[in-house]
Amino acid sequence: MKVLEFKKGQVIASRSDKVMEWYLVQKGTVLQKFELEDIELETNSIIGILEAEWFICDYVAKEDTTLIVIPCKDAEDLEKLLRTHGNFRPLFLRAAIMQRHKAFSLYSKLSTKCYMMHSYTERFYTEYSEIAQENMIPERPFPKIENFEPIFMTHKAADWEIHFCNSLVGKYFSEYMQMMMKDEALTVGAIMEASAQMRRVTQGIEEMVNYLMFNKDIIYSEHEDGLFHLLYDLATTLHAESKPTDQIKDSLNRVIELMKKLGIFTKGQIGACEQANENYSQVKGKKEYFDVTRIDCVEHIMKYAGFETAQAQAYKKDLDDFREIPDKSSLEPEQFQIKKRITKTFYDIYEKAFMRSVKENEELDPVMVMFFNFGFMDVDFLGEDKINSLVSLVERMSFFRSANVMTAYEWLCKIYRKEEEPSRSELDMDYNQYLVDEKKNGRITAEQLAELKTNQDEKVKFEIRNMFTSGHRITYGRVTSFLPVLSGEEMMSSVEKMAVTAEKIREAMNEVRNIDYQAFFHDVQFVDPEHGINNETFKKEILPYVILMPTLGSKGMMWQETAGIRSATPGRFLLPIFSSMDLSEQMIELVARYRWEYCKHVMGVRWNDIREKSLTAEYSDYLQFYKKNHDLSQEAREKVKSQLTRAKNSYREVFVKDYVNWLKYESKGGFRLNKVARNILVTYCPFAADIRAGLNLNPMYENAFRKLNAENLKNEQRLNMLYDRYEKAGGEITAEFKENLKYYQM
């Protein structure tokens, strides 16, 4: 079996990786990473044993580590492996039991922390209210407590499971091992049972970590609107009025102890609380706290952007007038003009405020964070019942961020910092093409063109005036009633439930990748003549950027299939940051449009030339000549005609509908496509290996799957020989090499 070496700190597997095999830790220690806690996997532990399709966690080498590759990823593989390698039975069984025990231990620890967070917070708030009332001191508003509920677990472990696991490991481990190894079926069953429990418990751990991190600001907040500062403010008031402070001081001490036990706060934050608690008696006067509901947010935002008070008042009046309109989609001249003014001014405010924010590079206050990321401008327009939930998201912006997910504001910052180039406009012109067009039409000179090419301010403005404004409107979903300002009238659910987080996007994207495993793989060239590779085409998965637009909407947009001319660059998807749509279904449509446009990009002018076989060429040929196609029945031809009519003769939109049916129904054995469409999709968008295995006996797929499996096996064997020669020549087998090989195993 193959041996892999990892240096300390190297990532062995990440959450974005598909499980293709298991890894036995032969030497060293691996960390199973969670945001708050790690599980240490020592020698003879198995990486991958608890996963199903995708790695649930990141796995990182704690020290220099040696792994043995185990060709196994499910019960069927495990059964074959243990049948041929009987000496693995005790090793695998022991690993499964011990790793399950560690998972249950961490689950219990985090479960206690979640209970403590909720129950202690409510207890401390009750103490605060009682002390304030006893001393006739007005209570500070604390809206966060109103929506703070105990954790609701989707993936739970029963108490009996935890007790069983503890008793088994603590008292009867040897007897259990002997019993389970007497029979192959018992061994496999015990391992897979432990694996399923571990998977559920690990998902539960993720839920609890998210709960703790999402709600930590209710106890301590950098904006000083958490429980600690609520009690601290009361302590300073009591002291200023020469009233007893022993009780409130005791509450503050217990809050600090809770912060230490929860383990979700930094040493700096705890230290700041301890210092504040020691010095509260030195505070002179009552401190004013930032309260969004008590300030004129419109004036605050517009003043930040450089507008005068009179302009802010006029804008506020337009917002108030629009709020009174019964039919928000009305095209009556007066109402239309109000919408037009609100929209035009909003983007003017956004552009000017953004430029100030990146030039001053100072921490933004909550109102500006909500404006830039959520489109918020006015408490009345949003509604006081929603504002507190929105404010609570300000300290949770990390939930909208991952390697390929970010808010529109963060995207614009990347362009300003020269990390990304602006997107193409609706006229399909990139920034440089736009400048050439401006010069051609006499709007700028050759000297201005040369200067503007490297002007980051102008690049950002180009992005705001093109992708941002158009994408904002499109992701909203209803053009006639669109308004860029966040409104509470359309929030049919809670802010938290409608929020499109990076985790939700990852799950939706993985649902597609589980079926259409090739969706985001690109061809990249690898050259290393010194070690025997002159020119090799590798398959590399490049996930698109997902940019969250500051709106509550119902539509996603595949804005750009690549970052530029180069094909091996990430595409750009747009989604509303608050959504009323089913994210999973929308993601399938986005990927469908991405597949079509990416194929067109790669094929260039030959995208619909049937002499050059491709997805778009074959689909265009099929739809153009469907009436003469003898493989289609008369009924099938009528359906194609109807599809084209509904899609307004857009071949891409017909493909999108077929692709949705391909993933949602055909992958499960439910037939929705005609023979011709199915043959094209099975060729260019084949299902993953486990789905192919389930459909392999179906005559509609059998030949295509057999051909694909044979080609994959041939490529896998060729690459293994190539890698062996390359390694012998002194080359290093990097993660890109491994990913390329996995492509042909998926």
Side-chain angles (χ1 to χ4, degrees), residues 95-108:
I97 295 169
M98 296 309 297
Q99 286 175 232
R100 177 179 62 184
H101 179 62
K102 288 184 177 183
F104 272 124
S105 297
L106 179 55
Y107 179 97
S108 298

Side-chain angles (χ1 to χ4, degrees), residues 220-234:
Y220 176 85
S221 163
E222 296 291 351
H223 292 111
E224 301 188 350
D225 60 350
L227 180 65
F228 176 84
H229 284 96
L230 194 73
L231 292 161
Y232 176 76
D233 186 41
L234 181 57

Side-chain angles (χ1 to χ4, degrees), residues 357-632:
S357 74
V358 290
K359 290 183 186 303
E360 293 185 354
N361 196 27
E362 294 178 350
E363 185 179 359
L364 298 170
D365 64 50
V367 172
M368 296 312 299
V369 172
M370 293 191 293
F371 169 68
F372 284 129
N373 294 289
F374 308 140
F376 164 79
M377 282 209 76
D378 182 40
V379 174
D380 293 333
F381 207 76
L382 179 65
E384 286 199 27
D385 58 327
K386 303 286 193 310
I387 188 62
N388 294 321
S389 295
L390 199 68
V391 171
S392 71
L393 291 183
V394 170
E395 291 196 43
R396 301 165 181 172
M397 293 306 298
S398 61
F399 282 80
F400 299 100
R401 192 181 303 122
S402 71
N404 68 312
V405 178
M406 68 206 74
T407 66
Y409 175 77
E410 290 167 333
W411 172 253
L412 293 172
C413 288
K414 286 175 80 73
I415 293 173
Y416 184 80
R417 295 192 299 262
K418 302 182 182 180
E419 295 171 13
E420 293 291 340
E421 287 298 312
S423 308
R424 295 195 294 266
S425 69
E426 279 194 301
L427 299 176
D428 204 31
M429 287 193 294
D430 64 23
Y431 180 67
N432 289 330
Q433 290 169 332
Y434 158 75
L435 292 178
V436 171
D437 188 65
E438 288 288 283
K439 179 182 176 297
K440 180 181 176 182
N441 289 293
R443 289 187 281 268
I444 60 173
T445 64
E447 291 77 15
Q448 288 173 317
L449 186 149
E451 188 277 326
L452 290 171
K453 272 189 174 182
T454 56
N455 189 311
Q456 294 307 118
D457 287 17
E458 290 302 317
K459 285 185 178 183
V460 169
K461 290 175 183 177
F462 176 83
E463 189 78 342
I464 291 174
R465 295 167 188 176
N466 289 281
M467 184 282 279
F468 184 86
T469 54
S470 298
H472 205 190
R473 184 182 297 273
I474 291 167
T475 53
Y476 177 78
R478 298 175 301 284
V479 176
T480 56
S481 59
F482 170 73
L483 207 70
V485 180
L486 186 66
S487 169
E489 285 186 12
E490 297 175 347
M491 284 196 173
M492 299 296 105
S493 185
S494 68
V495 168
E496 290 81 6
K497 288 181 180 177
M498 299 187 83
V500 180
T501 62
E503 179 64 17
K504 291 178 183 177
I505 291 169
R506 186 186 71 84
E507 289 175 357
M509 200 171 279
N510 279 353
E511 284 179 25
V512 176
R513 294 164 72 206
N514 282 342
I515 304 171
D516 181 8
Y517 69 98
Q518 294 183 356
F520 300 115
F521 273 91
H522 298 195
D523 286 343
V524 296
Q525 299 305 311
F526 180 80
V527 178
D528 187 0
E530 187 180 338
H531 297 107
I533 296 183
N534 295 318
N535 189 9
E536 180 71 23
T537 300
F538 275 13
K539 296 290 185 181
K540 180 178 176 63
E541 189 174 38
I542 303 175
L543 298 180
Y545 285 127
V546 181
I547 303 166
L548 298 171
M549 304 306 293
T551 189
L552 189 163
S554 59
K555 190 174 177 61
M557 176 71 178
M558 199 296 294
W559 186 265
Q560 200 165 306
E561 68 281 358
T562 62
I565 297 173
R566 289 174 54 238
S567 298
T569 52
R572 296 171 186 181
F573 291 4
L574 309 181
L575 287 171
I577 198 163
F578 300 111
S579 179
S580 59
M581 64 184 177
D582 183 304
L583 191 58
S584 297
E585 293 205 5
Q586 192 60 50
M587 187 60 69
I588 297 175
E589 289 192 22
L590 290 175
V591 175
R593 291 187 173 87
Y594 171 80
R595 265 193 163 283
W596 183 272
E597 296 300 332
Y598 182 74
C599 182
K600 283 183 67 175
H601 176 90
V602 171
M603 299 305 296
V605 295
R606 305 185 311 279
W607 72 270
N608 61 351
D609 187 345
I610 193 61
R611 293 172 298 179
E612 297 281 346
K613 296 289 187 181
S614 71
L615 171 66
T616 51
E618 292 207 39
Y619 235 86
S620 298
D621 183 70
Y622 147 59
L623 292 173
Q624 187 176 359
F625 301 108
Y626 76 91
K627 292 179 182 177
K628 300 178 182 179
N629 197 322
H630 298 298
D631 288 329
L632 295 174

Side-chain angles (χ1 to χ4, degrees), residues 21 37 47 54 59 62 70-71 129 145 158 197 263 309 364 443 450 475 498 544 572 575 608 646 665:
E21 58 215 2
E37 305 265 2
I47 300 169
W54 301 90
Y59 292 88
K62 185 182 180 183
I70 306 294
S129 296
I145 199 72
Q197 285 179 309
T309 301
L364 298 170
R443 289 187 281 268
T475 53
M498 299 187 83
R572 296 171 186 181
L575 287 171
N608 61 351
R646 289 197 300 272
Y665 302 108

Side-chain angles (χ1 to χ4, degrees), residues 275-289:
Q275 187 175 8
N277 194 24
E278 288 297 321
N279 302 326
Y280 76 93
S281 59
Q282 299 173 20
V283 176
K284 304 296 182 184
K286 189 172 182 178
K287 184 172 180 177
E288 291 296 322
Y289 290 94

